[in-house]
Amino acid sequence: MILLFLALVCVLYFLVYIYYKHVYIFEKHLKCFPSPPDIPILGHALDFAFTDKGFLDVLMHYTRNYGDIVRVKTGPHRQLLLISNYNFFQFVLTNMKILKKSVEYRYFHNWLGTGLITSSGAKWKRHRQIITPTFHYKILEDFVDIFESNAKILVKKFESCSDSTSVDIFDLVNLCTLDIICESAMGTSVNAQLNSDSEYVQSVKNMLDIVIARVFSPIKMTDWTYFFTEDYRKEKKALKVIHSYTWNVIKRRQEFLKSEKNENHAGYQKRKAFLDLLLEANSNGEQLTLEEIREEVDTFMFAGHDTTGTGIAFILFCLANNAEEQAKVFMEQKQLFGDNFERPPTFQDLKNMKYLEMAIKESLRLYPPAPFYSRELDHDVLYEGTVLPKGLTLTLFSYALHRNPNYFPEPERFLPSRFQNYDGKMPFAFLPFSAGARNCIGQRFAMAEMKSVVSRILRSFELLPSIPSHELKLASQTILISSNGVRIRFRKRL
Ligand code: HEM
């Protein structure tokens, strides 16, 4: 009897504790923020489970109807603030105490370990310091010919469909950017464009699908139920392929760096891949273990391919559907290349592509490859007099921020010239690469790559709208996609 009584007290105590930690504290501090109608325990979870429109549409619906700071209850345990407010973005991104990523990022751990994207605390800080110099302008110059040679293969692919009335460019562009990042990060080629069936390419694709499925599926979210799913087995298989590829490359590059005959070593060029720079940093006493290097190389492979792929696909779509803007970008190419469109661009050429840069920025504003990114509070934080409790997720919804007419008049229009006088004026209104300490370390690389590939394509083709005209159906996976593809048409330039 006493035991039963004690057990009852324990259960009661546990329930009160859960109520206090997950309901009362949040209710007390966050009631000032507007929130859509919800149901007990599940909160707004059903809005996401039963939408036929997708996650992105639900978030946009909340923002349109409840404002630029919305309180969302994604389940019994979790609450988030959905933020598209300028001051709040600035507050979060400049606060050195809000650096921890939200729990969703843990689904990447089996693949990326705790590389830059997923790590936090002392490990993240140390790695960021060691890796930052590898993205210096001087080093990026070496990658220009990788961009050009892979863009040429993409042009060949487009040539084969230049009579077509409508081509879905999304996957083709993504294979190109996978080749580019593989060569830049590891110094090897997976030939994704020429061999999209390769085991490595398929495994990377599978991992992206599996991770996103875990974010949204209640069964796959929890490790012990995920263990019984087909995806668990698929993940194990894919990771075996990906990790053994990365390990093999690391071992080969390590041996090469040790070898005396660097200069004349057949098969290797003088250009250094990111991996070489990390291995060198290691031998200079910076102390990244080989496992940590593996994590970072896989992180580059993940972070550096479908982001730029999406970015390029959407800018091509924007130019195809805005003939006047395309003409301006093309004019700039003519000024730089004269009649010699076959000349490979130099790094200085890329810097001089100012109008193309504005067009890419405008496309990133409308179609940010990372439409939101999140932080989790590991302690209470005070924001404009309100306590934001520990455990709260802050979701920075850059897609909605970019479409706020207060910051960008006529937000739905593609107007590259708005970036002519933009820089520096409102630094927290345009954030495709995030900002502050955890901003995108690869943004200069990404911008150079996107310019280079788009320039190569524009020098080869006039881009036209597809027939019939194509309306994008935007949706959010690990990145922004269009669920019905990104369709345009090509006309070869003579
Ligand atoms: C258009 C292309 C790209 C876009 C839009 C983009 C966007 C972003 C964003 C929004 C973040 C912050 C994510 C967060 O807070 O959770 C980020 C972080 C990061 N990006 Fe990119 N990215 C791009 C290309 C690249 C490339 C090419 C690389 C590598 C070569 C790269 C490597 C990284 C890494 C390592 C981080 C984590 C940085 C840290 O936390 O210290 N990204 N990126």
Side-chain angles (χ1 to χ4, degrees):
M1 195 63 184
I2 291 181
L3 274 179
L4 190 70
F5 177 74
L6 280 177
L8 253 166
V9 171
C10 283
V11 170
L12 212 72
Y13 179 80
F14 179 69
L15 289 176
V16 170
Y17 171 76
I18 293 287
Y19 174 81
Y20 180 79
K21 189 161 178 251
H22 294 293
V23 183
Y24 174 77
I25 289 280
F26 284 92
E27 210 48 51
K28 179 176 162 204
H29 294 302
L30 302 179
K31 60 175 182 277
C32 53
F33 297 111
S35 179
D38 62 306
I39 55 172
I41 302 179
L42 288 181
H44 302 107
L46 297 185
D47 290 357
F48 297 99
F50 291 113
T51 174
D52 53 350
K53 290 195 164 165
F55 191 71
L56 187 71
D57 279 338
V58 177
L59 298 187
M60 265 322 267
H61 170 80
Y62 287 166
T63 301
R64 277 198 207 101
N65 292 288
Y66 299 94
D68 57 9
I69 307 174
V70 187
R71 179 182 170 200
V72 181
K73 301 170 193 171
T74 52
H77 299 308
R78 289 196 61 210
Q79 302 221 3
L80 62 85
L81 289 183
L82 180 65
I83 300 158
S84 53
N85 170 289
Y86 184 93
N87 292 337
F88 215 143
F89 257 84
Q90 177 165 16
F91 171 75
V92 175
L93 295 177
T94 53
N95 192 322
M96 288 303 284
K97 289 187 176 151
I98 310 180
L99 294 176
K100 189 177 167 205
K101 296 290 179 77
S102 64
V103 289
E104 289 80 18
Y105 290 77
R106 82 186 170 89
Y107 299 128
F108 288 103
H109 283 187
N110 294 342
W111 179 7
L112 312 177
T114 41
L116 268 188
I117 286 208
T118 42
S119 61
S120 51
K123 179 173 179 183
W124 167 78
K125 205 170 166 193
R126 189 167 63 88
H127 282 219
R128 180 90 192 195
Q129 269 168 4
I130 295 172
I131 294 171
T132 296
T134 61
F135 282 92
H136 192 273
Y137 266 126
K138 276 264 150 270
I139 289 168
L140 296 187
E141 278 179 29
D142 283 350
F143 294 122
V144 177
D145 57 332
I146 298 182
F147 304 153
E148 172 75 0
S149 59
N150 285 294
K152 274 182 163 170
I153 300 176
L154 183 60
V155 163
K156 285 253 178 302
K157 293 264 164 190
F158 289 158
E159 258 168 17
S160 63
C161 34
S162 66
D163 290 333
S164 179
T165 51
S166 171
V167 183
D168 184 357
I169 58 173
F170 195 81
D171 285 348
L172 295 173
V173 173
N174 265 280
L175 291 173
C176 173
T177 54
L178 181 57
D179 275 341
I180 289 176
I181 193 64
C182 191
E183 232 178 303
S184 315
M186 299 198 259
T188 60
S189 180
V190 279
N191 280 330
Q193 296 194 88
L194 301 175
N195 180 15
S196 59
D197 293 333
S198 95
E199 220 186 356
Y200 180 84
V201 175
Q202 285 306 323
S203 301
V204 169
K205 278 188 181 168
N206 287 347
M207 277 313 296
L208 289 171
D209 292 343
I210 290 167
V211 167
I212 194 66
R214 291 202 71 183
V215 174
F216 294 111
S217 154
I219 294 174
K220 296 174 189 169
M221 261 172 208
T222 323
D223 287 347
W224 66 270
T225 43
Y226 175 61
F227 179 77
F228 296 101
T229 64
E230 179 60 27
D231 271 10
Y232 174 77
R233 276 171 290 284
K234 261 172 83 182
E235 172 174 332
K236 284 205 92 137
K237 204 171 148 211
L239 288 183
K240 205 169 159 209
V241 175
I242 296 175
H243 288 161
S244 56
Y245 186 92
T246 318
W247 273 121
N248 275 336
V249 178
I250 290 176
K251 278 189 209 131
R252 284 212 314 269
R253 301 299 285 198
Q254 204 185 18
E255 277 161 22
F256 168 68
L257 284 178
K258 274 190 203 147
S259 114
E260 300 282 318
K261 308 171 216 152
N262 285 9
E263 287 293 311
N264 303 319
H265 206 287
Y268 286 112
Q269 294 150 341
K270 271 193 180 163
R271 178 194 330 111
K272 290 196 170 86
F274 288 125
L275 167 61
D276 298 327
L277 299 164
L278 296 184
L279 287 168
E280 274 177 7
N282 203 18
S283 56
N284 292 340
E286 302 260 27
Q287 299 293 308
L288 281 186
T289 65
L290 283 186
E291 174 63 18
E292 286 173 333
I293 291 180
R294 200 277 304 155
E295 291 176 343
E296 297 304 353
V297 171
D298 280 339
T299 294
F300 289 162
M301 290 298 298
F302 159 69
H305 100 267
D306 58 352
T307 44
T308 43
T310 306
I312 292 168
F314 282 123
I315 174 68
L316 294 179
F317 179 84
C318 290
L319 294 175
N321 287 282
N322 291 275
E324 269 183 36
E325 294 301 338
Q326 186 181 162
K328 290 181 199 166
V329 176
F330 182 65
M331 186 57 74
E332 183 178 74
Q333 297 294 312
K334 277 196 86 138
Q335 280 160 6
L336 286 167
F337 292 89
D339 289 331
N340 187 2
F341 273 9
E342 288 313 308
R343 174 175 74 74
T346 60
F347 194 66
Q348 188 56 44
D349 286 327
L350 298 182
K351 277 192 188 164
N352 291 340
M353 294 177 190
K354 302 282 184 214
Y355 204 83
L356 176 56
E357 181 164 323
M358 291 196 292
I360 291 175
K361 283 183 174 170
E362 179 65 343
S363 170
L364 291 174
R365 180 187 70 77
L366 282 165
Y367 307 109
F372 49 82
Y373 27 91
S374 300
R375 302 281 183 272
E376 188 180 303
L377 297 181
D378 49 14
H379 57 283
D380 290 357
V381 169
L382 199 64
Y383 173 68
E384 294 188 351
T386 301
V387 174
L388 306 176
K390 176 180 168 179
L392 178 69
T393 298
L394 303 176
T395 296
L396 300 171
F397 193 17
S398 55
Y399 177 89
L401 176 85
H402 291 175
R403 285 170 187 251
N404 185 329
N406 296 329
Y407 315 138
F408 298 102
E410 298 186 89
E412 303 298 327
R413 286 187 64 194
F414 177 72
L415 291 174
S417 57
R418 68 169 97 233
F419 280 95
Q420 208 128 37
N421 303 313
Y422 172 83
D423 284 347
K425 264 191 185 165
M426 290 192 84
F428 293 90
F430 173 65
L431 294 168
F433 297 106
S434 184
R438 294 213 76 159
N439 69 352
C440 176
I441 202 169
Q443 59 184 289
R444 283 194 226 152
F445 177 93
M447 192 45 103
E449 175 184 346
M450 289 187 287
K451 280 180 172 176
S452 181
V453 174
V454 174
S455 156
R456 179 67 267 168
I457 291 168
L458 276 183
R459 281 179 280 132
S460 306
F461 303 102
E462 184 183 354
L463 308 178
L464 299 162
S466 86
I467 301 175
S469 75
H470 182 70
E471 203 169 307
L472 299 172
K473 284 194 177 145
L474 297 179
S476 173
Q477 293 196 336
T478 43
I479 42 140
L480 188 74
I481 59 152
S482 170
S483 56
N484 59 343
V486 178
R487 296 193 159 273
I488 61 171
R489 209 158 30 110
F490 296 94
R491 183 182 292 150
K492 189 120 186 61
R493 292 194 196 276
L494 298 173

